[in-house]
Amino acid sequence: MMAKRFDNKVVVITGGTDGIGLATAKAFANEGALVYITGRNAVRLNTAVAEIGHGAVGVQGDVSNAADLDRLYAKIKGDHGRVDVVYANAGVSESAPLDQIQDDHFDRVFDINVKGTVYTVQKALPLMSAGGSIVLAGSGAGSKGFASLSVYSATKAAIRSFARTWTIDLKSRGIRVNVVSPGMVLTPAMKTYLQDNDGAEDWMKGAIPFGRLAEADEVAKAVMFLASKESSFVGGAELMVDGGFVAV
């Protein structure tokens, strides 16, 4: 049988219970990876693990909680002693107009999106070696202005910056860091949003040069490219998966 791109590679995906995270976990597993996912909801986590199959493992936890991440990596260290790929995907999107931003909104979004990404990566590093790949979950919102999304957008701009600085921090270790920034994607959350907001889907399709929203699998393919040897000379980059929305 032909070898798969990620045979026996240990892949960590935070926020892997639905949407882009789940689609990516399935894609890695289908290419031979040993997949570990996290999620806060135990029922959804168990359902996702069953959907992924291929021996995937779920570790319940919140990326904004350092102890939960310690448990994740302790489990992986005991099972395999290494991490080959980290996809720091866990995140939350909340909206608030500038004059209504309060501490709970600001802290929740920054704790999960920014602090959670920092510690997801930092705590993986002792298990990573040369050839490892880190992919961060950005967003087109980090480059565009959207009403009431200033805090969320700022977190994604921070993540874009992390890819640049961590590329320098990790260059001597041979670990690459890049960002995948989706645009508007037909995740379960997006489908709910479109059902509740008449006209939103038509506006999105009109704003995206490709005339449609992305499928989660299309984002997963971009993550796998940046995680694989096919992108061996790509570092500190942001790959937009948005149908041309930001560029055009």
Side-chain angles (χ1 to χ4, degrees):
M1 294 179 64
M2 182 179 295
K4 298 178 180 179
R5 281 188 295 174
F6 295 96
D7 271 341
N8 204 39
K9 297 293 186 182
V10 179
V11 176
V12 176
I13 300 172
T14 59
T17 59
D18 63 10
I20 294 168
L22 178 57
T24 305
K26 290 178 179 178
F28 272 112
N30 286 334
E31 289 230 27
L34 306 168
V35 175
Y36 287 74
I37 66 168
T38 70
R40 289 179 290 179
N41 183 290
V43 173
R44 286 169 58 184
L45 183 65
N46 292 335
T47 299
V49 166
E51 286 187 38
I52 296 163
H54 299 281
V57 176
V59 178
Q60 186 179 8
D62 182 337
V63 295
S64 67
N65 185 322
D68 288 352
L69 289 169
D70 287 337
R71 283 193 300 103
L72 166 68
Y73 290 118
K75 169 65 174 171
I76 296 171
K77 182 178 181 180
D79 290 349
H80 303 288
R82 73 182 196 282
V83 170
D84 298 298
V85 176
V86 174
Y87 178 32
N89 169 71
V92 61
S93 175
E94 295 181 0
S95 62
L98 177 57
D99 60 356
Q100 296 178 29
I101 293 172
Q102 297 182 350
D103 285 352
D104 60 344
H105 167 68
F106 188 95
D107 292 344
R108 184 166 50 252
V109 178
F110 263 84
D111 280 354
I112 295 173
N113 293 4
V114 179
K115 185 174 76 174
T117 296
V118 171
Y119 290 119
T120 293
V121 172
Q122 183 194 75
K123 291 175 180 295
L125 292 177
L127 298 175
M128 299 189 75
S129 58
S133 179
I134 296 166
V135 182
L136 310 179
S139 169
S143 299
K144 298 276 282 189
F146 295 98
S148 301
L149 280 180
S150 59
V151 173
Y152 171 76
S153 297
T155 67
K156 294 304 181 178
I159 286 169
R160 174 66 187 99
S161 180
F162 288 154
R164 296 187 176 105
T165 52
W166 294 348
T167 293
I168 300 300
D169 287 340
L170 299 174
K171 65 179 183 180
S172 64
R173 294 189 53 180
I175 299 171
R176 296 184 300 110
V177 185
N178 292 285
V179 181
V180 167
S181 289
M184 302 162 199
V185 185
L186 276 173
T187 61
M190 176 63 82
K191 290 176 182 177
T192 299
Y193 174 81
L194 295 178
Q195 290 170 0
D196 294 341
N197 292 270
D198 290 341
E201 185 168 6
D202 289 339
W203 178 86
M204 290 179 185
K205 289 179 177 179
I208 299 168
F210 285 10
R212 64 176 179 85
L213 280 69
E215 297 290 340
D217 289 344
E218 293 177 300
V219 183
K221 291 174 183 176
V223 174
M224 295 180 73
F225 166 69
L226 290 176
S228 74
K229 293 180 179 179
E230 294 167 8
S231 61
S232 58
F233 206 60
V234 179
E238 180 178 24
L239 177 54
M240 294 286 185
V241 187
D242 65 353
F245 178 69
V246 169
V248 176

